[in-house]
Amino acid sequence: MILEYVVIAAGIFISHFLNGTNTLEIWGNKPDFMILFVLFFALRKGALAGLWIGFFGGLLSDSGLGGEIVGNVMTYKIGLHSLTFCLMGYLIGKFARSAYHENYLSITLYSLVITLVTRVATYFLFSLFFHENLSYSIFSTSIYNAIIAPLFFYLLGKLYRLEQAEA
């Protein structure tokens, strides 16, 4: 049981590391592996796994944002990705698992729509609490995630030895 959590935590750190590298950058666009990781576990293991993996993966993503000086106050953007990722993980695990089918088209569409919705929600939170982040890519990341999601899901399925869970 504890080994399973350690391996999932390692996957969260690897996804965070992959988000920070430029090795998969194509024409200035990068995928968001953390969204795909949360989506994979939400669809395979359910709402509770999606919630917790989304929360900790989001916190790790937020920690990479750093701080910003506004006036004389240092502000940190902790909680933006965490909120959207854990809500996304929970809602997908709770309501979308029954309609999910393990095929190329299903994985591609789920990752496209979920990445798009999650990125829009995170952008809205950025704008609401801080300022508009004009460099935050929404559409290109969603399309890139949709393209690589089937391969990423296949690799995660083999790595974690998870068959599609029954709804």
Side-chain angles (χ1 to χ4, degrees):
M1 184 76 146
I2 197 87
L3 183 61
E4 178 184 6
Y5 296 139
V6 169
V7 173
I8 290 173
I12 291 172
F13 280 107
I14 290 170
S15 295
H16 178 66
F17 174 75
L18 287 172
N19 280 348
T21 64
N22 292 330
T23 55
L24 296 173
E25 184 174 340
I26 298 176
W27 298 303
N29 300 316
K30 292 173 22 175
D32 193 339
F33 288 102
M34 194 63 74
I35 291 176
L36 293 177
F37 193 78
V38 173
L39 179 62
F40 174 80
F41 276 97
L43 289 171
R44 293 288 181 95
K45 293 187 71 89
L48 198 57
L51 176 88
W52 286 109
I53 292 171
F55 177 74
F56 288 116
L59 271 180
L60 193 58
S61 295
D62 288 335
S63 70
L65 294 176
E68 181 177 336
I69 297 175
V70 179
N72 291 332
V73 178
M74 180 69 131
T75 60
Y76 294 95
K77 300 170 182 103
I78 300 296
L80 298 178
H81 287 98
S82 185
L83 176 64
T84 56
F85 287 4
C86 77
L87 282 176
M88 180 265 297
Y90 179 78
L91 293 174
I92 292 301
K94 187 75 170 170
F95 299 111
R97 277 180 78 195
S98 59
Y100 173 69
H101 301 289
E102 186 72 25
N103 60 39
Y104 179 82
L105 183 62
S106 179
I107 294 170
T108 303
L109 288 176
Y110 265 89
S111 64
L112 177 70
V113 171
I114 297 306
T115 303
L116 185 66
V117 169
T118 303
R119 302 280 292 184
V120 166
T122 305
Y123 181 80
F124 175 72
L125 289 174
F126 268 116
S127 300
L128 184 66
F129 292 111
F130 299 102
H131 55 79
E132 288 189 31
N133 186 355
L134 300 177
S135 65
Y136 194 72
S137 63
I138 295 173
F139 296 108
S140 60
T141 301
S142 300
I143 292 168
Y144 201 161
N145 270 7
I147 292 169
I148 67 167
L151 177 63
F152 193 69
F153 272 45
Y154 174 78
L155 294 174
L156 286 178
K158 293 296 180 188
L159 180 68
Y160 287 101
R161 295 186 182 126
L162 289 175
E163 298 300 321
Q164 180 174 346
E166 296 296 321

